[in-house]
Structures are given as C-alpha cells and as structure tokens.
Amino acid sequence: MSPRGVAVPDARERLFAAAERVVARGGPGALTSRAVTEEAGCSKGLLHAHFAGGLDEFVAELVLDRFARTAALAAKLPMRAGEDTVAANLTEVATALFTSTGPAVSGLALTRPGSALRFRDAMAAGAPGFTAVQEAVTTYLRAEQRLGRFDGRLDAEALALALVGTVHHLLMTSHPGTPDPAAQIRRLVTALTGGGPHITDQ
C-alpha cells in the first residue's frame, strides 16, 4: 500500500488497470472508489486526487483512454497497406477494440449517467473514438484498392462503417454466455473482404 503523501508513478494507468481487474471479476456493479484503490494497492484518496469529479469522471476517463489507444493503433493501419493480408489487418484492428476496452469496460459508461454524459461530451468535442477508427479503416481500404489487393468496385467507406458499427454493437451487447465476439469479427471480415484468395492471400 502506498503511504499517504507519497507520489505514485503512473497513477492514472495503475488505477485504470485496477478498475479493469475489478470489473472483470465482479462486473460493473463491483466498481467503487474503494475497490479500485484497494486493488491498486494505494491510498484511498488517490483516485479523488487525480479525478476531482470522483468515480463518474474516473470511469469516463478510463473508457476514453482505452478508445484513444485503439484509435492510435488504427491510425497506423494505412501504413500497413501491402503487408500481410487485408483480412488479417482488419481483424487485428477490430479485435483491438476488445482487448483495449472490452465489453465490460465499455459498458461502464452506460451504467453511470454522469460518466455517460462526460463521455458523450468528450466525443462531441473530438476525442478519438469509433469515428477515428472508421476513418483509418476507410483510408486503409482505399490504399489497398490502389495496390490492387482489394476490389476497387467496393465502397471502402461503407465497409469501414459496417465493420466499426458491428464492433460497437458487439461491445455494447457482449456478456458471459453470448457468442465469442472475436469469432464473429473474423466471420464479418471474411464476408466483407469476400474471403477470396485474390483479396486476402496476397
């Protein structure tokens, strides 16, 4: 346990990671300021010291941080045009939304009205999220079309919307007992790319 008054390196990430573990074990209802700080092994006041708005601000910032990470990964996708396969590249970015946010973490903002409002306001102000990922996927697909690795007759923007929109749906609806979202994403990518060797195996 970190003593009171002692700076905690990378406190935000330490608290974020602790919250993810708490939610993974007990679901959104298990998340309290006390549960997070106990899991992080730090003083009870650390969360409020870094998040003046309390648990609502903390939850919103956690979800925003995880979406920003995925958007940063997606931003690198266009540079991968011509590498690996189209299907593999799309699958990696889509599944990253589950590894960096996950259904349980994404659902946190929905369980707390205060967090949901902060999250929506941040998105409206331009915080990176699904739109940034969609734009990156669109740019990537158009680059692959120029290289001849992806059917140029297809609407890249519409396909990007279909992929990102489906991932959003899965994030909001997946819970224990539902079909594996990773498997569903792979099926969707196969359908969107046509699954043919001229597209995915070049």
Side-chain angles (χ1 to χ4, degrees):
M1 177 77 69
S2 300
R4 183 182 299 274
V6 176
V8 178
D10 301 320
R12 283 172 58 93
E13 179 54 35
R14 182 170 173 177
L15 290 168
F16 286 162
E20 289 175 320
R21 294 193 296 273
V22 169
V23 173
R25 287 198 305 267
L31 192 73
T32 63
S33 298
R34 185 185 184 90
V36 172
T37 53
E38 287 184 350
E39 179 69 25
C42 58
S43 66
K44 296 179 178 63
L46 184 65
L47 188 147
H48 291 278
H50 285 269
F51 303 92
L55 197 58
D56 281 343
E57 179 183 346
F58 173 76
V59 168
E61 289 296 323
L62 167 58
V63 178
L64 288 167
D65 179 84
R66 288 348 191 196
F67 274 112
R69 289 187 177 196
T70 305
L73 175 63
K76 300 177 182 179
L77 182 60
M79 294 183 287
R80 297 188 60 181
E83 300 177 2
D84 205 332
T85 67
V86 175
N89 290 332
L90 291 178
T91 300
E92 179 179 349
V93 169
T95 54
L97 280 166
F98 286 90
T99 57
S100 64
T101 56
V105 172
S106 297
L108 281 174
L110 298 180
T111 67
R112 304 184 65 87
S115 298
L117 179 60
R118 290 172 182 270
F119 179 78
R120 287 196 299 269
D121 287 346
M123 289 288 104
F130 285 111
T131 299
V133 176
Q134 180 184 334
E135 291 172 350
V137 172
T138 299
T139 300
Y140 166 72
L141 289 176
R142 287 173 176 164
E144 293 286 24
Q145 287 175 326
R146 289 192 294 272
L147 293 173
R149 295 192 349 133
F150 191 68
D151 193 338
R153 297 168 298 179
L154 299 178
D155 186 334
E157 186 174 3
L159 292 175
L161 174 60
L163 178 63
V164 176
T166 299
V167 171
H168 180 273
H169 167 73
L170 292 174
L171 274 170
M172 295 300 105
T173 60
S174 294
H175 55 81
T178 59
D180 178 14
Q184 292 178 293
I185 287 174
R186 289 192 295 271
R187 289 176 57 197
L188 174 64
V189 170
T190 298
L192 293 178
T193 59
H198 66 292
I199 293 176
T200 60
D201 294 340
Q202 293 185 39

